Each structure stands twice: as C-alpha cells, then as structure tokens.
Amino acid sequence: MSESESANQVNGRERQGPQTPPVEPARARRLWHLLEPLHAVLYYAPEVFEEAARLGLDAADRWPSYFPFRAAPLGPVVSGAVTSAFYSFAPGMVARYVDEARRVTTPAAALRARLRGVDRAYRTLLGDRVDSRELEEAAELARRAAQAADTAGRPLAAANAALEWPVEPHLQLWQAATILREHRGDGHLAALMIAGLDPAEALVSFAAIGAASVERFESRGWSAGEWAAARERLAARGLVQPDGTATEAGRDLRRRVEQDTDRLALGPWQALGAKDTERLADLLGDYWVAVIGSGLLPSESTLGIGKV
C-alpha cells in the first residue's frame, strides 16, 4: 500500500468519526414488537371507526376501513396494486373493499380521517402523556429512524414516508411507527419471495409453525380450496406434514424468512445507532403497555408477534 493510499484511509476514518457499536438484527425485531401495537390502533380503535363512518365506510368491522386507510398513501391506485403491496390477502377480498371505498371516499379524505382517528385514540389511550417530554423524545428518535429508512423497492414504506409530517409529537410517533412497520413489512415480502412462498403459501407455512391458528389466518380471505391447494404445494416441497404442521425443513425455512426480515429491517436502527435505539425501546415500553392493556388489539395476530 502506498503512503498516499494509507493517508487516504486514515483521513477517511477521521472524517467518519468514532465507530459506534452495530445494532444487532434481533434488536430490529424487538423494536417491531414495540412499535406495531402503536401503529395498529388504526385498525381497532373505536375513534378510528367513527371517523371511517363519517366518510361513509361500513364501521361494523375493521376490514371496510382497514383497506382504504392502510392503502391511502398509495393514492388512487387500482385494487391490483393494493393486492400486490399487501401480498397475503386474497385478491377478491382486496378488490371488494377497495372498490367499495372508492365509491364513497378518496385516498386524500382517508388520510385526513385516519390521522384524526389516531389523534383521538392516542389521547384516549395515553391521556396527559401525549404532552409529556418523554413522548416528545420518543417521537424525535422514532422520526429520525423512519427518515433514515431506505424505501427503494418498498412501496408502502415509500408512500408513507412521502407524507407531510404532523406537528404534534404523538402523531409524529404514530407516523414514524407506521413508516417503520411498513418498511419492515415490505422487506418481509421480499424475504417470502426469496423463500419461494406465494401469498397463500406464506400464510399456510406460518400457521404450520404455530404463529397463529388457521382460523385466524382465514380472515385474509382465502377459500378452503385455495388453502388446501397451498398446503399441498408445501407438502410436495417437504415443508408441511399431511396434518398441516411444519416439518423441520418447513421450520428452518420460516426461521430464515424471519432472519432475512430482521436483516432487511436493520437499516433505520443502524442509522439511529445502538444507544439511541436502546433509549427509544426504553421509552416505548410505557406506551406499549397502555395500548396492550387497553384490550383493543386481539390476543392472537396473523403477524405472529410474540411467537416469532
């Protein structure tokens, strides 16, 4: 190595500053577990259902508002684009709810309504803590992580990242949680495709390792025949037993999917740094408890939180 090359390496290290400890992939999963409930109030809070009803959406259950509210950042796209981005929902189910929503509202109106609903829900769930210095700090850290997320090839993360940031810290926290969970989710879909799992197979293989019951996964709209066909395809690959439980190969494949997902979700946390990532995790605990303790969210989730 020449003297000039050596000098350039030294100068490069000086410009980079002191090296910070890396954030481990398992930390990305822990932050997802903490942030997901903060995002998910959008799909379960009565305040959000009330805002949906004002738009003309059916508020009898969560699906009529789930699809237009989650897809709203994508703009006025066809249902096929939503099916692609959401991946594991049956296309017919997506088309039904997207088309129904299009008849009564617009993505722009849905964006405003979902933020109003979350604002009201957070004020109910957190009370005076929405104005606390701790929540403001958590919002600042989460926003820094979200703004560091690479959204190339991640349509839902990119669409949410392009939205204007709200002023209030508790809404900034929710928006950051939304960007980060969609960033992770987009990466998860890439991991599923690398594993050769199509949308129905992704659910069948997840149910096979006990992430949630088959009945819970049925909520994603696949018929009994489609579910059985997906199970047969997985059985032919040696990934599930005849009774639908995973083989060792099936468990190994799903383990690799989750590990790849963690790795692909790590970028925002590496950018935030180990110290600030740990600080955010500490701050989020109180708000996580408030949401989980409210009873709003179902005890069993198709996301497998607490089981993967």
Side-chain angles (χ1 to χ4, degrees), residues 198-222:
D198 70 25
E201 292 165 359
L203 299 184
V204 175
S205 65
F206 212 24
I209 66 168
S213 65
V214 171
E215 291 73 23
R216 176 62 64 181
F217 284 112
E218 286 175 348
S219 68
R220 300 223 164 182
W222 299 97

Side-chain angles (χ1 to χ4, degrees), residues 94-308:
V94 179
R96 171 190 169 191
Y97 288 114
V98 169
D99 292 346
E100 285 180 0
R102 185 181 292 127
R103 285 193 287 270
V104 299
T105 191
T106 65
L111 284 172
R112 293 190 294 271
R114 76 176 196 170
L115 203 59
R116 289 194 303 269
V118 169
D119 178 30
R120 294 173 55 203
Y122 268 38
R123 292 183 185 279
T124 298
L125 291 165
L126 304 181
D128 292 342
R129 285 173 290 185
V130 297
D131 298 316
S132 69
R133 177 66 189 92
E134 289 78 13
L135 189 142
E136 184 177 352
E137 182 184 359
E140 188 271 331
L141 292 170
R143 179 171 176 172
R144 278 173 48 199
Q147 289 178 318
D150 181 357
T151 58
R154 301 180 194 247
L156 285 171
N160 280 280
L163 299 176
E164 182 178 350
W165 283 90
V167 174
E168 297 88 344
H170 65 288
L171 294 180
Q172 290 188 16
L173 178 60
W174 178 80
Q175 184 152 316
T178 299
I179 294 168
L180 291 164
R181 72 91 66 175
E182 297 293 18
H183 176 271
R184 181 185 177 89
D186 288 336
H188 182 62
L189 303 191
L192 289 170
M193 287 185 281
I194 290 170
L197 296 171
D198 70 25
E201 292 165 359
L203 299 184
V204 175
S205 65
F206 212 24
I209 66 168
S213 65
V214 171
E215 291 73 23
R216 176 62 64 181
F217 284 112
E218 286 175 348
S219 68
R220 300 223 164 182
W222 299 97
S223 69
E226 291 168 326
W227 186 275
R231 179 183 289 179
E232 289 176 6
R233 294 194 297 274
L234 294 176
R237 292 172 60 186
L239 299 175
V240 299
Q241 306 278 7
D243 64 357
T245 59
T247 62
E248 191 58 38
R251 291 187 176 278
D252 285 343
L253 184 66
R254 287 302 318 201
R255 191 176 301 113
R256 290 197 300 274
V257 166
E258 299 307 322
Q259 289 170 345
D260 285 345
T261 301
D262 288 342
R263 179 175 53 80
L264 291 169
L266 197 55
W269 308 115
Q270 294 284 31
L272 187 61
K275 180 179 178 181
D276 284 345
T277 295
E278 191 61 32
R279 173 61 177 162
L280 177 59
D282 290 342
L283 289 166
L284 290 175
D286 188 35
Y287 314 126
W288 180 89
V289 168
V291 174
I292 296 299
S294 71
L296 278 180
L297 307 186
S299 58
E300 184 181 51
S301 167
T302 55
L303 299 179
I305 291 179
K307 296 186 178 181
V308 298

Side-chain angles (χ1 to χ4, degrees), residues 48-82:
V48 178
F49 290 148
E50 289 170 5
E51 296 295 339
R54 290 190 180 102
L55 293 179
L57 297 169
D58 182 2
D61 65 58
R62 71 188 185 105
W63 296 124
S65 58
Y66 173 93
F67 287 95
F69 280 175
R70 188 180 174 205
L74 295 171
V77 296
V78 297
S79 63
V82 180

